């Protein structure tokens, strides 16, 4: 195991034995569903950097995999939508975290009459070698884990997720990103990487790492402030601004002209005709915004028409639109 991975295990072993409330945090509100009570200990061990549990993804009892179990909060939230025995699989490499999560699920059972700890199947394993069968998962999730991996390990982790997802399956995840370059002192600091600070890729590189594996559709669902690395506090001469991004990657066939990446752009046709048809599968009705992927937005903009408006990215997209 590489040194940075050993340091990561040590950090989260400590966070399992003694909750570290400040380990990760964003402005993301905690999901609240009717009849769901989240134990305080789970909230204290919420080591993610965003929200990845969306009712829109979770209809019809999907089989769910969550990698990096933390205190069990996401496992509990996911099990709200699949109340079958072992309908949700949780994988972690840290023994102490698996034990703490199991203990916390017992507390959740006391607070939630509908919940049984047997809904969750906890498995010892690595994100780099998932103990899960091929093409068996509808929804896979990870929260503030993949940003820790270096390039080759990130590729392996994404390849493993792609392997276990069913065709059309979804990877929902949240990670820190940073569009400013980081120096080698930051990149090579194993502890800062384990703390989800200095493994952050730029958003474009982050998306490319996902589409390079074969995911044909990417949805950017949110982008929020996360951390500041300031000179004098960290080995940097420049103030670095880190954001957290929430993404859904869909195991769709890769389009011949490249992946569809949705960043919240919309096209509005305001011409005098009944509609506009680009003859590539996109029909714009007058004054009706149509969500478009960045690829389609670029193609429409290249037409140089004076009756089509393309909005900037809002960094929020949750379905519908051109593809």
């Amino acid at each position: 195991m590489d040194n940075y991975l050993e340091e990561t295990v040590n950090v989260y072993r400590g966070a399992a034995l003694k909750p570290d409330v400040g380990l990760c945090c964003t402005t993301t509100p905690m999901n609240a569903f009717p009849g769901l009570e989240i134990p305080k200990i789970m909230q204290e061990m919420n080591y993610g950097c965003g929200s990845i549990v969306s009712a829109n993804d979770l209809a019809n009892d999907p089989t769910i995999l969550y990698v990096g179990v933390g205190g069990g909060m996401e496992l509990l939230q996911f099990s709200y939508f699949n109340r079958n025995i072992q309908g949700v699989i949780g994988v972690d490499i840290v023994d102490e975290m698996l034990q703490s999560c199991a203990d916390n699920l017992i507390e959740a059972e006391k607070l939630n009459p509908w919940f049984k700890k047997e809904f969750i199947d906890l498995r010892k394993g690595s994100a780099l070698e998932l103990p899960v069968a091929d093409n068996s998962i509808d929804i896979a999730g990870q929260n503030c884990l993949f940003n820790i991996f270096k390039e080759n390990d990130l590729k392996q982790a994404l390849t493993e997720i792609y392997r276990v997802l069913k065709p059309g399956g979804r990877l929902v995840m949240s990670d820190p990103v940073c569009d400013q370059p980081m120096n080698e002192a930051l990149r090579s600091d194993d502890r800062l990487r384990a703390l989800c600070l200095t493994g952050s890729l730029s958003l474009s590189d982050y998306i490319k790492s996902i589409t390079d594996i074969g995911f044909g559709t990417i949805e950017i669902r949110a982008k929020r402030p996360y951390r500041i690395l300031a000179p004098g506090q960290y080995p940097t001469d420049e103030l670095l601004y880190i954001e957290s991004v929430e993404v859904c990657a869909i195991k769709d066939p890769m389009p011949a002209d490249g992946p569809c990446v949705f960043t919240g752009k919309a096209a509005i046709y305001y011409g005098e005709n009944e509609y506009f048809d680009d003859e590539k599968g996109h029909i714009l009705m007058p004054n009706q915004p149509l969500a478009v992927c960045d690829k389609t937005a670029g193609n429409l903009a290249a037409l140089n028409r004076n009756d089509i408006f393309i909005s900037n990215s809002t960094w929020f997209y949750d379905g519908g639109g051109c593809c």
Side-chain angles (χ1 to χ4, degrees):
M1 184 183 292
D2 285 352
N3 289 340
Y4 86 94
L5 293 175
E6 291 179 4
E7 181 63 23
T8 300
V9 169
N10 290 334
V11 166
Y12 288 94
R13 178 180 293 121
L17 296 173
K18 182 179 180 181
D20 186 348
V21 176
L23 185 60
C24 293
C25 66
T26 65
T27 56
T28 308
M30 189 172 297
N31 284 328
F33 300 112
L36 172 62
E37 295 290 335
I38 299 174
K40 182 180 179 182
I41 184 64
M42 284 187 175
Q43 297 178 42
E44 292 175 346
M45 296 178 68
N46 177 20
Y47 300 141
C49 64
S51 176
I52 63 170
V53 182
S54 170
N56 291 343
D57 297 320
L58 297 168
N60 302 317
D61 283 345
T63 300
I64 301 163
L65 166 68
Y66 186 60
V67 185
V69 300
M73 187 180 77
E74 281 92 349
L75 291 172
L76 175 62
Q77 291 172 322
F78 278 129
S79 70
Y80 184 89
F81 296 92
N82 185 333
R83 304 183 184 188
N84 297 311
I85 302 301
Q86 298 187 336
V88 180
I89 301 168
V91 172
D92 207 295
I93 198 169
V94 181
D95 291 324
E96 291 83 355
M97 193 65 80
L98 286 167
Q99 185 58 58
S100 291
C101 179
D103 294 341
N104 294 347
L105 293 175
I106 294 173
E107 294 303 308
E109 200 172 35
K110 296 174 183 177
L111 293 177
N112 296 277
W114 58 269
F115 176 68
K116 300 181 184 299
K117 63 182 186 297
E118 290 80 12
F119 293 167
I120 312 296
D121 179 8
L122 292 176
R123 301 182 186 180
K124 172 74 176 287
S126 168
L128 307 180
E129 192 174 351
L130 291 170
V132 181
D134 294 358
N135 302 308
S136 61
I137 300 297
D138 296 298
I139 302 292
Q142 68 86 17
N143 199 333
C144 210
L145 170 63
F146 282 12
N147 74 98
I148 295 173
F149 292 132
K150 294 183 178 180
E151 183 177 0
N152 289 340
D153 289 335
L154 175 59
K155 182 178 180 180
Q156 178 62 24
L158 287 167
T159 299
E160 276 293 277
I161 289 283
Y162 192 88
R163 173 183 67 81
V164 304
L165 281 173
K166 298 176 183 177
R170 297 179 172 220
L171 167 59
V172 289
M173 54 187 181
S174 181
D175 281 304
V177 294
C178 181
D179 285 328
Q180 298 166 265
M182 287 193 187
N183 63 47
E184 186 58 29
L186 289 169
R187 292 292 189 197
S188 62
D189 188 308
D190 292 341
R191 183 165 182 81
L192 292 180
R193 181 176 284 271
L195 292 173
C196 299
L197 294 175
T198 60
S200 306
L201 299 174
S202 68
L203 181 57
S204 61
D205 286 345
Y206 180 78
I207 293 172
K208 187 176 186 300
S209 70
I210 301 167
T211 58
D212 280 352
I213 300 302
F215 288 95
T217 302
I218 307 295
E219 302 177 356
I220 306 298
R221 294 184 168 178
K223 191 167 70 160
R224 297 184 172 93
Y226 181 65
R227 288 288 194 279
I228 293 293
L229 303 185
Q233 299 176 14
Y234 297 90
T236 175
D237 296 327
E238 179 186 10
L239 187 145
L240 299 174
Y241 172 49
I242 303 176
E243 298 172 284
S244 70
V245 63
E246 296 169 17
V247 172
C248 174
I250 304 175
K251 190 177 176 180
D252 284 340
M254 181 66 68
D257 58 350
C260 293
V261 179
F262 289 86
T263 62
K265 285 185 168 70
I268 303 175
Y269 171 63
Y270 54 96
E272 297 181 354
N273 293 328
E274 184 178 355
Y275 59 87
F276 171 78
D277 185 350
D278 72 349
E279 299 182 354
K280 295 181 179 179
H282 312 113
I283 296 177
L284 305 179
M285 303 303 293
N287 296 309
Q288 295 186 23
L290 179 72
V292 292
C293 70
D294 287 7
K295 179 177 58 180
T296 297
N299 291 338
L300 290 172
L303 298 175
N304 292 316
R305 295 180 63 99
N306 62 5
D307 56 3
I308 296 178
F309 173 82
I310 308 295
S311 75
N312 294 325
S313 296
T314 63
W315 309 112
F316 173 81
Y317 174 82
D318 198 13
C322 75
C323 300

